[in-house]
Amino acid sequence: MHSDMLTPDFETTQNLDELHLKLEQINVKNGWNKPTPSLYPEPRQRYVPAHWRYADARAALHAAGRLVGTEWAERRNLILANPIEGNDYPTVTTMVAAYQMVKSGEKARSHRHTPNAMRIIMESTSPAYTIVSGVNVPMEPGDVLLTPNWHYHGHDNRSDTDAYWIDILDAPTVQLLGPMFFEHHPDAVEKTEKVDPDSSMRFAFRDYRPQLLAQPEAVPGVRMLGLGEGMVETFDRTAIGLAAGTVWKQPRKTASDIFVVVEGEGTSSVGGRQFAWARGDVIAVPSWIAQEHRAMQDAILIRVSDTPLLQALNWVREEK
């Protein structure tokens, strides 16, 4: 409680300027003269559409392979921070994407954390694994692998080639809400010889590609296939097939998307920004920004969206 000596005398207040000063003394803000409104008629978006080229990231990671060792870096990765002033982490409001590389014969230590994570493999040859909760899960190009929250995971590249992939996590959401926990595995790299190519944590490209192409068209030239629906509560994964020449338009919606190009080439217009994309590229589509994608040749994209999180809160909206 405030003592009488510290509590302002509101009864003697003569004008609003004086009242505002006294409110500061009791650590409250007035609700009639806010510098910025707390409620507004539609979403405000500070993140911008963005595009990263795999060719650039691969070259940078190859250089980092000479300079950054996994023995002292938690992960050798390149964070795709949305290019707005003051930002060095989130790709979109709720998610972060990063390119990662594990060199031939190298291991990346096992850890676990409250953020959910996934990876989309760009280059990898057998035997190269993500170790998930005591199981070696193979990594092959185009594969989608999950590491749900609090599952130990590390990487073990026993092959004779370097492995490259794209990670996506909901860490920005966890940072915002606060329940962040992280710990290393006691064995540094979890020890196991068990290999499970059919792990529920793996969606092999060789399996989902034909399943996707066998789907009926959602709209002309566009096929969709959900990967592991319900396995992660905060973001989903959808394989999207675009036939050559297809133009796929999406209206403004409250969900944010991150696209990874698994196959093919094309262009995208997102909020008026134009991107030409190819295999391995990443495109950020923040919420409430219209998007249009055009396939120059048959293409497969993985769309990662925070729709499940918004659905749980009844915040999914789409412009009509």
Side-chain angles (χ1 to χ4, degrees):
M1 294 180 63
H2 293 281
S3 69
D4 291 339
M5 293 286 292
L6 299 176
T7 302
D9 181 1
F10 287 101
E11 290 297 324
T12 61
T13 306
Q14 299 298 311
N15 55 59
L16 278 176
D17 287 341
E18 186 180 347
L19 177 58
H20 292 164
L21 288 173
K22 291 179 178 180
L23 292 176
E24 293 289 340
Q25 294 176 48
I26 62 170
N27 296 321
V28 299
K29 303 291 184 183
N30 74 79
W32 54 81
N33 190 34
K34 298 190 289 278
T36 56
S38 55
L39 304 171
Y40 23 88
E42 65 177 30
R44 291 181 171 182
Q45 182 53 259
R46 72 186 191 98
Y47 291 95
V48 298
H51 169 233
W52 293 269
R53 296 176 65 245
Y54 177 52
D56 296 336
R58 190 186 188 283
L61 283 172
H62 186 72
R66 294 184 286 104
L67 304 171
V68 181
T70 55
E71 69 276 4
W72 59 269
E74 191 62 40
R75 293 291 188 257
R76 185 193 293 111
N77 58 13
L78 303 175
I79 298 168
L80 307 188
N82 196 274
I84 57 172
E85 186 176 357
N87 180 52
D88 60 6
Y89 191 61
T91 304
V92 293
T93 307
T94 53
M95 299 178 289
V96 62
Y99 286 104
Q100 183 173 172
M101 173 247 233
V102 173
K103 295 168 65 176
S104 169
E106 192 174 56
K107 301 177 188 290
R109 59 193 177 197
S110 298
H111 62 214
R112 63 180 178 177
H113 40 65
T114 40
N116 296 289
M118 61 171 284
R119 58 202 46 83
I120 301 168
I121 312 305
M122 288 295 108
E123 297 180 49
S124 180
T125 55
S126 181
Y129 305 110
T130 287
I131 308 162
V132 185
S133 296
V135 177
N136 287 307
V137 181
M139 298 189 297
E140 297 181 1
D143 286 2
V144 176
L145 275 66
L146 300 183
T147 49
N149 80 84
W150 216 237
H151 283 61
Y152 278 118
H153 55 283
H155 308 295
D156 185 1
N157 186 0
R158 306 179 190 178
S159 76
D160 57 3
T161 61
D162 299 340
Y164 298 83
W165 63 82
I166 294 134
D167 292 308
I168 299 176
L169 298 86
D170 59 9
T173 300
V174 180
Q175 291 171 344
L176 176 65
L177 297 178
M180 179 68 75
F181 293 92
F182 169 90
E183 64 181 31
H184 290 114
H185 193 278
D187 295 331
V189 177
E190 190 170 6
K191 296 178 175 62
T192 180
E193 291 303 319
K194 182 179 180 181
V195 177
D196 185 4
D198 300 317
S199 167
S200 61
M201 301 298 173
R202 180 192 186 206
F203 302 91
F205 183 64
R206 66 184 181 217
D207 295 332
Y208 77 73
R209 185 181 188 278
Q211 293 173 19
L212 171 65
L213 298 181
Q215 292 290 307
E217 293 184 340
V219 295
V222 180
R223 291 178 166 84
M224 298 185 180
L225 178 69
L227 303 177
E229 294 178 6
M231 292 182 66
V232 173
E233 294 83 357
T234 50
F235 56 77
D236 60 19
R237 300 139 306 281
T238 305
I240 297 172
L242 300 178
T246 296
V247 178
W248 180 45
K249 297 183 179 182
Q250 292 287 285
R252 295 192 297 176
K253 54 189 177 67
T254 49
S256 296
D257 298 329
I258 296 175
F259 288 90
V260 175
V261 183
V262 174
E263 188 174 271
E265 296 182 0
T267 62
S268 293
S269 175
V270 186
R273 301 192 181 200
Q274 309 299 319
F275 307 126
W277 42 261
R279 182 179 181 275
D281 288 8
V282 176
I283 303 165
V285 183
S287 67
W288 213 243
I289 296 176
Q291 53 183 292
E292 178 180 301
H293 308 283
R294 181 186 298 268
M296 310 307 291
Q297 55 184 241
D298 289 351
I300 295 177
L301 287 72
I302 300 295
R303 180 184 65 191
V304 183
S305 169
D306 60 9
T307 297
L309 176 61
L310 272 64
Q311 283 178 331
L313 300 169
N314 195 30
W315 288 346
V316 174
R317 300 286 187 276
E318 185 175 290
E319 192 172 46
K320 300 301 182 185

